[in-house]
Amino acid sequence: MPETLIKVDLTQSAYDNDMIHNRWHPDVPMVAWVNPGDDFIVETYDWTGGFIKNNDSADDVRDIDLSIVHFLSGPIGVKGAEPGDLLVVDLLDVGPMKESLWGFNGFFSKQNGGGFLTDHFPLAQKSIWDFKGMYTSSRHIPGVNFAGLIHPGLIGCLPDPKLLATWNERETALIATNPTRVPGLANPPFGPTAHMGRLKGDAKAKAAAEGARTVPPREHGGNCDIKDCHAARKSTSRFMSPAAGYRWATCTSARATAKSPSVAPSRWRAGCTSRSTSSRTASRNTASRSSVQAVAGDAQLQGLSDLRGISVDEQGKQHYLDVHIAYRQACLNAIEYLKKFGYSGAQAYSILGTAPCQGHISGVVDVPNACATLWLPTEIFDFDIMPSSAGPIKHIKGDIQMPLSQDK
């Protein structure tokens, strides 16, 4: 049985566990070491450190301080690794903690940062998803059941000081172009809620003030949410600093390629059995400025693939090859389609962020419109959602709703 290098106690605050941290910084001390080829187990909190609860209230989604996220397990050093080497991590097994077989999905209040469709869903809502074997379903969203294939939503290496400074400089400059935008353009360092693992004293305070927030993906990997990066897959990252300092964080269900809700897809506490390998030869033969995550394909479900959006916004304004707007329109079209079967807009939105949907950029060269499509699996529903001559038939009664919390 592989050794469990990092353990978490779900009854304990993540801030009390010195093998956890919530910022990217090169000075965060290693909490364990492995040799290339070692098998080992890492346990993780969910990304909020347990703030979101398994109940029928969205108050926790409304009230969460988003500067605390994400809580990462690690860093784990790889003996002999040097900057520029390529790290290959085989994900041998990934699964939820036995004492916590549930996850959540939700959308933040617009007053707390909002999300992708915050103008359409401005209030906090959430859905709870329970695991039964490998399948997941929600008491808040009837008529849906699918294989919840868990993958590490956030996984990556320590940055070196130069790369960290680059991140902070460019993201601070971006924020300055529109500092009051909702959602914000980026998330700057914020020391008061930083958890810096085993750092103490002045070193902790300095690193907390500089540490990069964990919200976006960056060159080292990070919050990529790659749907196929699950058990029996490989994740590769380029070492940015000596010994790599690899970390795992919140695990994500389903296989959503392009996520849509602001808390998405569903997240929970998990254990990951892994094997690490360092390769200098692979590094020389893989010229890339960024992290690479290599995965194999999965057998596909049957699906509806004609949910399209173009770069014309909700007010009818034309934009030039704007992929963000095009994908937003594809999601809104999918939500309107699912509403015809009886789902509320929020339930439809939560399905998009939790089920194995796939977002695709179909065209970015034919001016003025970019085109995005959303592939919606049909086999996850208890009824037929394919278009027919009879038109959509309402199957959902509307007597079950997602928890919603009004702003304070």
Side-chain angles (χ1 to χ4, degrees), residues 235-255:
S235 174
T236 67
S237 289
R238 191 171 305 283
F239 294 150
M240 306 296 182
S241 60
Y246 215 58
R247 315 104 176 271
W248 288 256
T250 178
C251 285
T252 301
S253 172
R255 299 181 293 173

Side-chain angles (χ1 to χ4, degrees), residues 374-392:
L374 189 142
W375 180 88
L376 181 64
T378 57
E379 297 176 32
I380 69 171
F381 296 92
D382 293 344
F383 48 87
D384 188 5
I385 68 165
M386 290 297 288
S388 69
S389 58

Side-chain angles (χ1 to χ4, degrees), residues 116 257-260 304-312 318-334 352 358-366 368-376:
F116 185 56
T257 301
K259 64 183 184 181
S260 45
L304 179 64
S305 61
D306 199 29
L307 297 162
R308 293 189 299 268
I310 59 174
S311 46
V312 176
Q318 179 73 63
H319 297 261
Y320 177 74
L321 296 180
D322 193 317
V323 172
H324 182 273
I325 290 175
Y327 187 62
R328 187 171 75 222
Q329 299 310 308
C331 290
L332 290 172
N333 287 336
L352 298 189
Q358 293 190 22
H360 297 273
I361 306 305
S362 301
V364 289
V365 296
D366 296 316
N369 281 327
C371 180
T373 56
L374 189 142
W375 180 88
L376 181 64

Side-chain angles (χ1 to χ4, degrees), residues 89-92 94 147-153 155 224-236 252-258 265 293-301 355-360 375:
V89 176
D90 289 281
L91 302 174
L92 305 178
V94 185
L149 298 180
I150 302 174
H151 59 278
I155 190 167
C224 296
D225 277 320
I226 295 176
K227 69 182 182 71
D228 291 320
C229 195
H230 52 77
R233 298 292 185 260
K234 296 178 184 292
S235 174
T236 67
T252 301
S253 172
R255 299 181 293 173
T257 301
Q293 292 200 330
V295 296
D298 286 315
Q300 294 293 321
L301 295 167
C357 304
Q358 293 190 22
H360 297 273
W375 180 88

Side-chain angles (χ1 to χ4, degrees), residues 260-319:
S260 45
S262 49
V263 185
S266 58
R267 318 270 187 154
W268 48 82
R269 306 124 301 276
C272 180
T273 306
S274 306
R275 176 184 299 133
S276 64
T277 306
S278 168
S279 173
R280 219 146 282 151
T281 303
S283 175
R284 289 194 295 268
N285 294 333
T286 312
S288 171
R289 294 176 58 195
S290 301
S291 169
V292 180
Q293 292 200 330
V295 296
D298 286 315
Q300 294 293 321
L301 295 167
Q302 295 297 312
L304 179 64
S305 61
D306 199 29
L307 297 162
R308 293 189 299 268
I310 59 174
S311 46
V312 176
D313 65 25
E314 292 91 318
Q315 288 72 46
K317 181 180 178 181
Q318 179 73 63
H319 297 261

Side-chain angles (χ1 to χ4, degrees), residues 167-253:
W167 294 347
N168 287 338
E169 180 180 355
R170 73 188 184 201
E171 291 174 21
T172 300
L174 176 63
I175 293 169
T177 64
N178 189 358
T180 60
R181 183 183 184 274
V182 177
L185 290 171
N187 298 277
F190 185 70
T193 55
H195 179 24
M196 306 309 292
R198 293 177 175 175
L199 276 179
K200 305 293 183 183
D202 292 343
K204 175 184 176 181
K206 180 177 182 296
E210 300 171 344
R213 304 278 289 281
T214 60
V215 176
R218 297 185 180 93
E219 291 90 336
H220 70 319
N223 193 19
C224 296
D225 277 320
I226 295 176
K227 69 182 182 71
D228 291 320
C229 195
H230 52 77
R233 298 292 185 260
K234 296 178 184 292
S235 174
T236 67
S237 289
R238 191 171 305 283
F239 294 150
M240 306 296 182
S241 60
Y246 215 58
R247 315 104 176 271
W248 288 256
T250 178
C251 285
T252 301
S253 172

Side-chain angles (χ1 to χ4, degrees), residues 151-171:
H151 59 278
L154 195 157
I155 190 167
C157 287
L158 287 168
D160 64 16
K162 182 178 179 181
L163 185 60
L164 175 63
T166 296
W167 294 347
N168 287 338
E169 180 180 355
R170 73 188 184 201
E171 291 174 21

